[in-house]
Amino acid sequence: MASPRTRRTSRIYEVARSAGVSIATVSRVANATGPVRPQTAARVQAAMRRLDYRPHAFARALAAQRSRTIGLLISDILHPYFADIVRGAQEQAEVSEYAVLLGDASVHTRGTDLLVQRLLERRVDGLIVASDRTTTDYAMQLRTEDVPVVCINGSREQFPRAVQIDNRTGAALAIEHLVGLGHRRIAHIAGPPGLPTRDERLASYRAALKHAGLRYDAELVATGDGRFDESRTATRVLLDLADAPTAIFAYNDRSAVGCYQAIRAAGLRVGTDISVVGFDDIVMAEWVDPPLTTLHQPRIEMGRIAVDLLLAVLNGTETVDHVVVQPHLVVRASTGPAPASRAC
Amino acid sequence: MASPRTRRTSRIYEVARSAGVSIATVSRVANATGPVRPQTAARVQAAMRRLDYRPHAFARALAAQRSRTIGLLISDILHPYFADIVRGAQEQAEVSEYAVLLGDASVHTRGTDLLVQRLLERRVDGLIVASDRTTTDYAMQLRTEDVPVVCINGSREQFPRAVQIDNRTGAALAIEHLVGLGHRRIAHIAGPPGLPTRDERLASYRAALKHAGLRYDAELVATGDGRFDESRTATRVLLDLADAPTAIFAYNDRSAVGCYQAIRAAGLRVGTDISVVGFDDIVMAEWVDPPLTTLHQPRIEMGRIAVDLLLAVLNGTETVDHVVVQPHLVVRASTGPAPASRAC
DNA sequence: CTGTTAGCGCGTTCAG
DNA sequence: CTGAACGCGCTAACAG
């Protein structure tokens, strides 16, 4: 059935024959393992070049018991948040000549276990879990496997090795910024329940309020789903409050933009009547109207760090298991001075 | 050096032993190849389940001489255009239990040849080339390899197997739309030289003008680079023309947004003073201000089709080698009636 | 420093 | 219908 294409690439023993050495020697120069006399090495390298030799990754993996491949679990490549992480991971993996195998939860509708299976079948040497949704599911399943795992923005109880954004600092920066603009009634659109990140950002919001000397008001917290629609609905509720907020700190950029819609629908102007701060700084933040003030999360960098951590484990040179990355505030036009208190 | 993690997954001969059969039989039921007595098959399957057996993809690939992996060359995962293609390809590959190995040209700064090497080392069974930039480079190199290739929006002279958007129809829809709104001076921001897509869209623009009974004016064509900056500069030139255009048909959405900036800088309003039509319909189109009228390109679908084509080749069931996909016009707020001719 | 050899885990003839 | 045996291409001892 399958067309047995004629193999054009040369194999190790052809190189060996051509260079007049044994395959072991070829292997040694190809992998820089073991001692080889310079002259011999030169002959071998010439032969490799001449025959356009490319070691067969699978055969190599089979013999060496490691694939030089890492699996990267994300929930949606279409979301720029994850695309950035993928980019960073690939860049760093490339440096060490590792390949990255993507596992996109949105593709595998049959469940996350299937997804992980696929990756493990492919014998990935390690795994990076950057999924926001189903972290818990993965954790349960991966605990029984023997692959090292690094998670990005997950909870450390589930995966000891992690790279995380400092949500506490992020929230503090947002609240300080708003308070500095004179805002006192600052609401929070929380993320979808069940996500570690939601809990952290909510808690950090409360802590930052307290630090700023503001009272926490449960009424000012509404729950969205980290996307547009629910966030819009949640915002509407906030706007209908007797003592409505003058500013909103949103779980992420998407929910922030959801706020925009509700604010407009209420006949108010974003950045003037109501200030909005997002979290993540995805590209959209720059293009929406008005451009969104938000906390920049260095996702590409985080992807790179995750790979570094993982490779360190694989190489037995692990020194740290946990890196916290700092966000910084990008001020755009969605925040402005608090309006003189509106009559209610 | 490398920590020799203890392997927990069971192997084929363990399953065989557990089921009281030979590994050949296990292989036969695992791959549904060759005849096996139902009872025996049942015993084997039970054993596979019991031992949580997952065939080793590499060993399998080595023995079977095919990896059940396809390579996907893109130029930038951060660009939503490519992210969509990746999504579509992964979805369709998943159906046939193929894995997709991503090759991102933006990651491999050391040149596209290195990129292709990586994929070929991994012994991909076939390749999909969706890169806009370096398609030609790839073509040169891949011609010498024995891997079947399907390209997305490349030129058919380079790769006989292809899935392509119908640029001709796209341009026609755009021009008809603008003409219907009363526009007569319609400019074109062309893509970066050297890309097949640029040439096609430019030619299609001319053809559509002709069809609409409008004269082609070389002055109305400016070249951008498919991104913001150059497009902005190019637009400025158009606006400075004695007989400036009232509408612009841009190479893609990014250059369309570049137009926005130049138009604003000139004190004009997009959609009122000057209409703009893009191409692609990436997410940004929906969020910019004003929302962009553009030609929707079903990229996810195109990714799927490319995989279909490729798998057909691999299975020896190829029936067509070339699929043309239709774009459709999404009218938003960046286009409007032509203004009464401005005094110059 | 170099060659020989034994697997890595599985697909696939070929006998039975 | 089933099993024994070989080989896919390479790495890693172990001898020399």
Side-chain angles (χ1 to χ4, degrees):
Chain A
M1 192 67 67
S3 56
R5 292 175 283 108
T6 51
R7 197 182 345 78
R8 296 253 99 257
T9 69
S10 48
R11 290 157 289 205
I12 195 171
Y13 60 81
E14 297 177 332
V15 175
R17 184 152 40 81
S18 169
V21 297
S22 75
I23 63 168
T25 301
V26 177
S27 175
R28 288 194 192 94
V29 332
N31 301 304
T33 160
V36 178
R37 196 196 312 162
Q39 309 175 24
T40 318
R43 280 219 319 285
V44 171
Q45 268 158 349
M48 294 199 303
R49 220 182 318 282
R50 193 175 334 122
L51 298 180
D52 188 28
Y53 173 63
R54 287 189 296 256
H56 192 306
F58 293 166
R60 186 181 268 205
L62 193 58
Q65 300 279 55
R66 57 187 208 145
S67 60
R68 291 196 152 271
T69 301
I70 64 187
L72 175 51
L73 287 168
I74 60 173
S75 39
D76 187 357
I77 189 61
L78 298 185
H79 194 306
Y81 172 90
F82 295 107
D84 277 354
I85 289 178
V86 170
R87 162 59 58 81
Q90 291 199 136
E91 282 180 355
Q92 197 61 26
E94 165 66 11
V95 172
S96 304
E97 304 196 309
Y98 267 72
V100 174
L101 205 52
L102 220 55
D104 187 329
S106 301
V107 170
H108 293 250
T109 50
R110 280 179 274 172
T112 64
D113 34 344
L114 240 303
L115 217 195
V116 174
Q117 298 292 335
R118 287 271 188 286
L119 260 29
L120 294 178
E121 273 174 14
R122 244 85 191 172
R123 290 305 187 275
V124 292
D125 292 335
L127 230 32
I128 295 176
V129 178
S131 180
D132 59 352
R133 299 216 273 251
T134 37
T135 316
T136 315
D137 301 1
Y138 290 137
M140 299 300 289
Q141 188 178 355
L142 293 176
R143 200 173 290 292
T144 65
E145 309 288 346
D146 62 334
V147 230
V149 176
V150 173
C151 81
I152 297 180
N153 282 345
S155 83
R156 284 203 66 209
E157 291 92 65
Q158 297 174 326
F159 300 107
R161 288 187 262 255
V163 26
Q164 299 177 289
I165 190 73
D166 188 337
N167 287 309
R168 203 147 210 98
T169 300
L173 289 171
I175 301 299
E176 278 168 22
H177 171 64
L178 291 172
V179 168
L181 288 168
H183 294 276
R184 291 293 172 271
R185 292 286 286 172
I186 303 173
H188 180 55
I189 303 280
L195 298 190
T197 303
R198 168 213 154 94
D199 298 339
E200 276 195 34
R201 292 189 184 162
L202 176 53
S204 304
Y205 155 79
R206 297 186 59 163
L209 282 187
K210 185 170 183 179
H211 185 79
L214 296 177
R215 199 176 57 78
Y216 167 71
D217 182 352
E219 220 181 35
L220 288 183
V221 173
T223 286
D225 60 352
R227 301 176 62 188
F228 305 124
D229 294 357
E230 280 200 26
S231 164
R232 191 169 45 205
T233 322
T235 305
R236 196 169 308 143
V237 173
L238 293 174
L239 297 179
D240 286 345
L241 250 37
D243 190 8
T246 63
I248 300 176
F249 170 46
Y251 168 71
N252 63 11
D253 289 352
R254 290 205 171 185
S255 22
V257 173
C259 296
Y260 278 29
Q261 304 178 337
I263 292 170
R264 286 228 179 81
L268 300 171
R269 286 158 307 167
V270 176
T272 312
D273 300 316
I274 303 222
S275 290
V276 177
V277 178
F279 208 119
D280 281 353
D281 195 21
I282 59 179
V283 276
M284 192 183 69
E286 200 173 338
W287 289 107
V288 288
D289 177 43
L292 180 67
T293 295
T294 186
L295 290 152
H296 179 78
Q297 183 170 183
R299 293 175 295 275
I300 296 185
E301 188 62 22
M302 293 172 77
R304 304 186 74 123
I305 295 174
V307 169
D308 273 343
L309 252 43
L310 190 55
L311 293 188
V313 180
L314 295 176
N315 294 327
T317 61
E318 183 178 19
T319 56
V320 293
D321 62 351
H322 181 219
V323 175
V324 175
V325 173
Q326 294 303 315
H328 68 261
L329 187 72
V330 179
V331 178
R332 299 205 179 90
S334 68
T335 48
S341 63
R342 296 184 278 137
C344 53
Chain B
M1 193 68 68
S3 58
R5 291 174 286 108
T6 51
R7 196 180 349 77
R8 296 253 100 257
T9 69
S10 48
R11 288 158 291 202
I12 196 172
Y13 60 78
E14 298 177 332
V15 176
R17 184 153 40 81
S18 170
V21 298
S22 74
I23 65 166
T25 301
V26 176
S27 175
R28 284 194 268 264
V29 332
N31 302 303
T33 161
V36 177
R37 196 196 312 162
Q39 308 174 29
T40 318
R43 279 220 319 286
V44 171
Q45 269 159 348
M48 294 201 301
R49 218 181 319 282
R50 195 176 332 123
L51 298 180
D52 189 26
Y53 172 63
R54 288 188 297 253
H56 192 306
F58 294 165
R60 183 182 270 205
L62 194 59
Q65 300 277 56
R66 56 184 210 148
S67 59
R68 290 196 153 271
T69 301
I70 65 186
L72 176 51
L73 287 168
I74 60 173
S75 37
D76 187 356
I77 189 64
L78 298 184
H79 193 308
Y81 172 91
F82 293 107
D84 277 354
I85 289 178
V86 170
R87 162 59 55 83
Q90 291 199 135
E91 283 180 355
Q92 196 62 26
E94 164 66 11
V95 173
S96 304
E97 304 195 309
Y98 267 72
V100 173
L101 205 52
L102 221 55
D104 187 329
S106 301
V107 170
H108 293 250
T109 51
R110 279 179 274 172
T112 63
D113 35 344
L114 240 302
L115 216 195
V116 174
Q117 299 291 335
R118 286 270 188 287
L119 260 29
L120 294 178
E121 274 174 16
R122 245 83 192 173
R123 292 301 189 277
V124 293
D125 292 335
L127 228 35
I128 295 176
V129 178
S131 178
D132 58 353
R133 293 216 275 253
T134 38
T135 315
T136 314
D137 301 1
Y138 291 139
M140 299 299 290
Q141 187 178 357
L142 293 176
R143 200 173 290 292
T144 66
E145 308 288 348
D146 62 332
V147 232
V149 176
V150 172
C151 81
I152 296 181
N153 283 344
S155 82
R156 284 205 66 207
E157 290 92 65
Q158 297 175 325
F159 300 106
R161 287 186 262 256
V163 25
Q164 300 177 289
I165 191 73
D166 189 337
N167 287 308
R168 203 150 210 96
T169 300
L173 290 171
I175 302 299
E176 279 169 21
H177 172 62
L178 291 171
V179 168
L181 288 169
H183 295 276
R184 292 292 174 270
R185 294 283 290 170
I186 303 174
H188 180 55
I189 304 279
L195 297 191
T197 303
R198 168 213 154 92
D199 299 340
E200 275 194 35
R201 290 188 185 163
L202 176 53
S204 304
Y205 156 77
R206 297 186 59 164
L209 281 186
K210 185 169 183 182
H211 186 77
L214 295 177
R215 199 176 57 79
Y216 167 71
D217 182 351
E219 221 181 34
L220 289 183
V221 173
T223 286
D225 61 351
R227 301 176 61 188
F228 304 124
D229 295 357
E230 281 200 25
S231 166
R232 192 169 45 205
T233 322
T235 305
R236 197 170 307 142
V237 174
L238 293 174
L239 297 180
D240 286 344
L241 251 36
D243 191 8
T246 62
I248 300 177
F249 170 45
Y251 168 71
N252 64 11
D253 289 351
R254 289 205 174 187
S255 22
V257 173
C259 296
Y260 277 28
Q261 304 178 336
I263 292 171
R264 285 228 179 81
L268 299 171
R269 288 158 305 168
V270 176
T272 312
D273 300 317
I274 303 223
S275 290
V276 177
V277 178
F279 207 119
D280 282 354
D281 195 21
I282 60 179
V283 275
M284 193 183 69
E286 200 174 338
W287 290 106
V288 288
D289 177 43
L292 180 67
T293 295
T294 187
L295 289 152
H296 179 78
Q297 183 170 181
R299 293 175 296 276
I300 296 185
E301 188 61 23
M302 293 172 76
R304 305 186 74 124
I305 295 174
V307 169
D308 273 343
L309 250 43
L310 189 55
L311 293 188
V313 180
L314 295 176
N315 295 327
T317 60
E318 183 179 19
T319 55
V320 293
D321 62 350
H322 181 219
V323 175
V324 175
V325 173
Q326 295 303 317
H328 69 261
L329 187 72
V330 179
V331 178
R332 299 206 179 89
S334 68
T335 48
S341 62
R342 296 185 280 137
C344 51

